[in-house]
Amino acid sequence: MEGEKEYSELIKILTDEKHIDELGIIHGSQNEMLFVDGKLGVSSELTDDITNLSMVLLLINPECYTAWNARKELIISKVISTAEEFQLMNLILSCHPRSAELFSHRRWLIQYIAKSDGYDIITLCKLELKVAAKAADKYYSNYISWSHRCWILSTYLSNSPEILLHELEDTTSWLSLHISDSNIYYYRQRLLMLLAELTHVNSKKLWMHELRINKEMIEFYTGHEAMWLFRRFLLANIPAADEEKKLICNQEMKFVNMHCSDDGTSGFTFERNRQIHFAKSYEIFVDLIMSHLNSK
């Protein structure tokens, strides 16, 4: 095996010598490894071995940030191309969809590419959203991949309303497929807040549409706290005048009383009891919003 001799020699040095106090890189030396007076020198000619060893190591353990850092140096020195690195990361992601170090390395690589000339960063970020979505689909409640998607949006796509609106529409199906996953709701919060900052987008219309979708979800899938918490966000941040907010709050009180209170006819299933509990908590929240509006 290529590099086996060097590997065996390094292990022997590390095992036999108990007083190694310094490591250095040797440039232009015919010796691949030197050990003198407690100083260990490794030849820079072992770059290919580092590339291959780091690749194999990361396939097994993608949380090894030392290996990722070694590959960063190889990318900067043009030993590894960015295309090759994305190919490796996508392969690792197929088996380790929740690797924090892998996604951290992806963000570094995107920032590295963004500093270079001749790259279409928007197209790259659109592809990255798809990669992160695939990872989220492979691992339930994948906070790491959803956070990565939020970073992509905030860093490079915050001024791209078409992409933001497409993401809002595209992730609607996730609501019914992952009804208790709070990450999708956090992602939609981020989308709505970014869209609200764009003056040529009808934010209030988006908010009202989101309230309707959320209402249907709550009525169909009973007893899921993530939906109710998301509704709190919608009510607290809806871009509307105070008088209009009061009307919306009154409608919310009717929604709670009509659909989520205990009428004595629905039985006391676990889901039903949870629904009543979340509805009453939401009722208190709405009442606080109304009190704040009335005090102005």
Side-chain angles (χ1 to χ4, degrees):
M1 181 185 297
E2 184 180 355
E4 185 175 355
K5 176 185 175 183
E6 293 81 5
Y7 173 79
S8 299
E9 184 180 349
L10 179 59
I11 292 299
K12 187 176 186 303
I13 292 174
L14 293 174
T15 303
D16 296 345
E17 305 294 339
K18 304 301 182 183
H19 301 289
I20 302 175
D21 56 19
E22 187 175 338
L23 171 68
I25 305 298
I26 306 171
H27 298 278
S29 172
Q30 294 181 348
N31 297 311
E32 294 174 330
M33 240 169 292
L34 289 174
F35 180 71
V36 180
D37 296 331
K39 316 299 181 186
L40 175 61
V42 179
S43 172
S44 60
E45 300 301 319
L46 292 177
T47 298
D48 289 340
D49 292 331
I50 295 172
T51 303
N52 295 331
L53 288 171
S54 65
M55 181 169 56
V56 173
L57 176 59
L58 290 168
L59 287 172
I60 300 170
N61 178 20
E63 299 307 318
C64 183
Y65 62 86
T66 302
W68 288 121
N69 287 340
R71 295 187 69 83
K72 287 182 177 66
E73 295 294 334
L74 295 173
I75 291 168
I76 292 172
S77 60
K78 309 298 182 182
V79 175
I80 302 174
S81 70
T82 56
E84 290 174 328
E85 194 70 351
F86 275 118
Q87 185 177 9
L88 173 65
M89 289 190 294
N90 291 343
L91 176 62
I92 297 173
L93 204 60
S94 67
C95 185
H96 304 280
R98 201 172 181 269
S99 171
E101 291 298 332
L102 186 151
F103 277 108
S104 176
H105 188 66
R106 294 188 83 97
R107 288 190 286 276
W108 175 87
L109 189 58
I110 292 169
Q111 290 174 314
Y112 174 78
I113 291 173
K115 295 176 183 177
S116 306
D117 295 328
Y119 283 95
D120 185 353
I121 194 65
I122 299 299
T123 299
L124 174 61
C125 287
K126 289 167 69 175
L127 291 172
E128 194 67 10
L129 290 175
K130 293 180 180 179
V131 170
K134 186 176 181 180
D137 195 36
K138 288 180 68 70
Y139 193 104
Y140 177 74
S141 194
N142 193 340
Y143 170 78
I144 304 298
S145 64
W146 284 108
S147 296
H148 183 70
R149 291 179 82 175
C150 287
W151 179 83
I152 292 291
L153 294 179
S154 301
T155 308
Y156 295 107
L157 302 177
S158 59
N159 293 316
S160 304
E162 297 84 4
I163 298 176
L164 297 176
L165 289 169
H166 177 267
E167 281 295 294
L168 193 64
E169 177 65 27
D170 192 53
T171 54
T172 301
S173 60
W174 275 78
L175 298 174
S176 56
L177 295 174
H178 307 270
I179 53 180
S180 292
D181 190 349
S182 60
N183 293 294
I184 177 60
Y185 291 106
Y186 176 76
Y187 185 67
R188 291 176 77 82
Q189 285 182 31
R190 192 70 194 128
L191 284 167
L192 289 167
M193 295 302 288
L194 289 172
L195 285 164
E197 296 174 3
L198 303 177
T199 55
H200 51 288
V201 173
N202 191 338
S203 300
K204 192 180 84 170
K205 182 179 178 181
L206 290 175
W207 243 265
M208 297 305 295
H209 179 64
E210 203 70 19
L211 278 168
R212 285 193 294 272
I213 294 175
N214 181 257
K215 177 177 178 290
E216 293 171 359
M217 294 288 295
I218 287 174
E219 292 176 337
F220 192 79
Y221 301 101
T222 60
H224 293 277
E225 187 177 19
M227 301 175 189
W228 288 97
L229 294 177
F230 182 58
R231 196 166 189 85
R232 291 191 190 190
F233 160 80
L234 293 173
L235 183 63
N237 295 279
I238 189 167
D242 287 349
E243 290 303 315
E244 191 171 1
K245 287 183 180 179
K246 291 179 183 178
L247 294 174
I248 295 172
C249 285
N250 287 328
Q251 293 173 355
E252 290 300 290
M253 284 298 192
K254 292 178 181 178
F255 166 67
V256 171
N257 293 329
M258 288 177 60
H259 299 284
C260 305
S261 60
D262 180 15
D263 58 7
T265 63
S266 302
F268 291 94
T269 64
F270 176 74
E271 292 80 7
R272 181 61 183 168
N273 286 336
R274 283 172 60 86
Q275 185 84 323
I276 294 170
H277 171 72
F278 298 143
K280 289 181 178 179
S281 297
Y282 181 68
E283 185 178 21
I284 294 172
F285 178 80
V286 176
D287 189 57
L288 288 173
I289 295 291
M290 292 183 69
S291 297
H292 176 70
L293 292 172
N294 290 329
S295 66
K296 290 185 177 181

